[in-house]
Amino acid sequence: MLLFVGLCSAAGGCSGYEVRGRVVHGDFGGLVTVVDEDDPRLRGDGVGNARITIIRDPGRLNARQVATGVSEADGDFVIPLSEFGAGWLEETWRVQAVRSRLGIAEGLVDMPAPGSGRVLLIELREADPSEIGDLERRSGTPESLYREVERWTTP
């Protein structure tokens, strides 16, 4: 038991892990990736109020949402992630970001290790007006779910 506690403390995987990053306006949008803290794209115009969702085991039937957060006005975000192994086990996570009138970004990433100097970069672009309805449906908000049900059940 002491060995386990010592390993958890040394690896930082039992508690206290935080996902850090920035949401920016991008030319292409839809990008979620891990970059060095000095990546020039992180200096782009920040996107505030973007909703970020983290999903564990995305390729399995037991995939589950484990954390959510919202970017600050300048685009920066810090999301506590209390899942065992986050940041030190080799594991792929799905990260999704959405903001009204902007595209949806989604990607599979390995969470950066604490102290690695690496963060998440999320790029969103202005949505084409023809995409707005689809974006609202994909955002997962209760209102859009009701619209989706109506779309398929109304004759």
Side-chain angles (χ1 to χ4, degrees):
M1 181 66 161
L2 286 177
L3 177 62
F4 176 74
V5 171
L7 287 173
C8 274
S9 297
C14 294
S15 66
Y17 181 77
E18 295 177 324
V19 179
R20 296 179 175 277
R22 183 170 169 87
V23 182
V24 298
H25 285 279
D27 293 332
F28 301 104
L31 173 73
V32 176
T33 190
V34 177
V35 299
D36 291 330
E37 289 177 330
D38 61 355
D39 189 295
R41 293 173 291 178
L42 293 169
R43 293 190 291 271
D45 292 336
V47 175
N49 206 32
R51 187 180 62 207
I52 302 155
T53 303
I54 300 172
I55 299 166
R56 187 168 208 170
D57 298 324
R60 297 177 179 228
L61 290 175
N62 64 342
R64 59 192 166 84
Q65 177 180 308
V66 295
T68 61
V70 176
S71 61
E72 299 291 331
D74 64 358
D76 290 342
F77 63 87
V78 177
I79 302 172
L81 185 57
S82 60
E83 292 290 303
F84 178 79
W88 61 274
L89 282 179
E90 285 191 33
E91 182 176 11
T92 301
W93 305 71
R94 180 178 306 281
V95 177
Q96 301 170 324
V98 64
R99 180 164 179 265
S100 178
R101 304 292 178 199
L102 295 177
I104 293 174
E106 185 173 47
L108 299 174
V109 299
D110 293 336
M111 291 298 171
S116 67
R118 297 179 59 78
V119 296
L120 288 183
L121 168 67
I122 300 173
E123 286 188 10
L124 293 174
R125 69 171 173 81
E126 295 293 328
D128 182 300
S130 66
E131 298 174 320
I132 298 298
D134 183 50
L135 293 175
E136 289 175 351
R137 280 191 296 280
R138 290 183 59 202
S139 71
T141 59
E143 184 178 336
S144 66
L145 291 176
Y146 291 128
R147 276 193 239 137
E148 187 76 8
V149 169
E150 286 177 359
R151 187 167 76 102
W152 291 103
T153 59
T154 304

